[in-house]
Amino acid sequence: MAHLKKNLHFRPFASFLHSLSWSFEIGWSMSVSELFKVLFFSLFVFLLVMAKAMANQMQARLESKESAMAYALRGTFSSNTAAVDSQENEREALYEVLVRKNLKQEQSLALYLVYTQDIKDQQESRLEDAAVIYRKNNLHQFGFGGSLGALAALDIPLSEKSRESYSKITALNLNANIRENLAGLNIEQMSYTAILSAKRYFHTYQQTSDFQVNPEYRLRFDGILGYQFNNRWSASFFNRLTRFWSYEGTARDITYDHEEAVGYSFGPKRNYQVELGHSNSGSFRNNELGTDQTYQLYSERNSSYFIRFSATL
């Protein structure tokens, strides 16, 4: 790939990762990517099957004291608005696993894993990038009842696309978040969370394998509005604004994502939840027409509907 511009500072580390990957491929009959897929999917299925039994065993311990470890599983199954039997229909499954170690003074350390699968085409499945996450809650309490928290995350490029097409080494994500229950507005059932995050990417090459410029920085704002009808039923509205900057310093168009969902919680400590919702995404710039466009709640092209299952142990 001599035609690509390199980030020379990270070349030794990238070479080490490549040699490590090569040594694995010699010793195993399957590639590293396939091995990760098999291990991850087996782990997800095992944890999902054992979730109920583990929850019953841990219930007495959780009632007496806070567990040092926590586990979260989430499976999301989505489909776009096209008819199921049409060629335009897209159906996807997203599996997420979070293993968290609770530390002292409201700190935690976690490992986050993601696996996606194209339900329409069973052959298309992939392990996404993982992340090691450090979180600190309640850094500061505000007079209006809100609290400030912080998070730092380091990406682990497990996906084949990240490593081979994007030559990604890692990425550092820092964010600050404010959580407010809106009790001061006499709306005790409502809560709001605002998250501002900045991400720095590190790549071996500044260009992708198809000669596109890799992103160097990302700025993102998340806003989450939640409403608790009772101890079982809830609703949420999620909105995200994202902007990337390339290695050449070019600012890309601002994109948006939003999601509306209704959820039902159940279980001994309401630690299981099922959600039904709608999501949409887009850009404030129509590149095909070269004109600006407005925020869209619904789009026949990009909207999708989903059902999500969550378990926290």
Side-chain angles (χ1 to χ4, degrees):
M1 300 180 69
H3 57 284
L4 298 180
K5 188 174 181 180
K6 293 186 176 181
N7 287 333
L8 298 178
H9 294 292
F10 300 97
R11 185 175 180 182
F13 184 66
S15 300
F16 168 75
L17 291 180
H18 178 74
S19 63
L20 182 63
S21 173
W22 177 252
S23 65
F24 268 107
E25 291 181 359
I26 292 176
W28 294 83
S29 60
M30 63 179 68
S31 67
V32 174
S33 177
E34 292 173 340
L35 178 62
F36 271 125
K37 289 180 182 179
V38 172
L39 292 177
F40 179 82
F41 190 74
S42 301
L43 174 64
F44 183 87
V45 172
F46 174 76
L47 291 175
L48 195 61
V49 171
M50 297 297 294
K52 183 65 177 177
M54 292 173 62
N56 291 335
Q57 294 175 3
M58 295 173 64
Q59 183 177 0
R61 192 194 322 169
L62 290 173
E63 291 177 351
S64 60
K65 63 178 182 179
E66 184 180 1
S67 175
M69 296 294 296
Y71 309 90
L73 307 174
R74 188 163 71 172
T76 304
F77 306 89
S78 61
S79 173
N80 63 2
T81 58
V84 175
D85 57 351
S86 70
Q87 294 183 351
E88 290 76 18
N89 179 259
E90 296 179 358
R91 302 189 300 276
E92 185 181 69
L94 174 69
Y95 307 99
E96 300 168 272
V97 175
L98 181 74
V99 180
R100 186 180 72 242
K101 169 70 173 179
N102 296 320
L103 307 175
K104 296 180 179 179
Q105 299 178 347
E106 299 197 57
Q107 301 177 84
S108 64
L109 190 64
L111 175 64
Y112 176 65
L113 301 170
V114 185
Y115 183 83
T116 58
Q117 183 178 26
D118 188 340
I119 302 177
K120 188 175 181 179
D121 184 356
Q122 298 293 334
Q123 300 300 321
E124 293 189 14
S125 58
R126 58 191 180 275
L127 183 66
E128 305 292 352
D129 292 349
V132 177
I133 304 170
Y134 167 79
R135 183 187 297 273
K136 169 64 175 175
N137 295 325
N138 290 327
L139 281 172
H140 180 74
Q141 293 285 341
F142 298 101
F144 53 81
S147 63
L148 174 67
L151 177 148
L154 190 67
D155 285 3
I156 305 174
L158 299 181
S159 72
E160 183 178 352
K161 189 172 185 179
S162 289
R163 291 183 284 106
E164 297 185 3
S165 299
Y166 299 149
S167 68
K168 181 179 177 182
I169 299 173
T170 187
L172 177 63
N173 184 34
L174 302 174
N175 84 34
N177 56 80
I178 296 177
R179 304 177 188 276
E180 165 61 32
N181 58 17
L182 302 183
L185 301 178
N186 296 321
I187 313 177
E188 296 183 356
Q189 301 91 339
M190 188 173 291
S191 63
Y192 181 75
T193 302
I195 305 172
L196 181 63
S197 64
K199 193 169 190 176
R200 171 65 160 93
Y201 293 87
F202 300 95
H203 301 88
T204 304
Y205 301 96
Q206 293 186 6
Q207 291 182 333
T208 65
S209 59
D210 57 354
F211 304 103
Q212 301 295 316
V213 181
N214 274 317
E216 185 176 17
Y217 298 101
R218 188 198 71 191
L219 188 64
R220 172 174 286 174
F221 174 79
D222 293 344
I224 308 160
L225 185 64
Y227 189 86
Q228 194 75 34
F229 297 102
N230 51 45
N231 60 356
R232 299 287 182 181
W233 289 95
S234 63
S236 63
F237 177 77
F238 167 83
N239 185 68
R240 167 174 288 171
L241 300 175
T242 306
R243 189 161 203 175
F244 288 92
W245 283 264
S246 70
Y247 278 101
E248 295 177 349
T250 304
R252 300 179 182 176
D253 296 332
I254 299 175
T255 60
Y256 64 85
D257 301 86
H258 64 82
E259 177 183 295
E260 307 81 42
V262 175
Y264 178 77
S265 300
F266 58 98
K269 300 181 76 66
R270 295 190 297 278
N271 53 333
Y272 299 94
Q273 186 182 51
V274 57
E275 295 175 274
L276 293 174
H278 160 265
S279 64
N280 186 29
S281 61
S283 172
F284 291 106
R285 181 74 176 174
N286 189 324
N287 293 323
E288 295 178 358
L289 301 177
T291 58
D292 295 335
Q293 58 186 12
T294 59
Y295 185 97
Q296 293 180 313
L297 287 176
Y298 174 83
S299 168
E300 186 174 349
R301 180 178 180 180
N302 296 322
S303 280
S304 62
Y305 299 95
F306 64 86
I307 180 171
R308 177 181 294 145
F309 301 94
S310 305
T312 303
L313 308 176

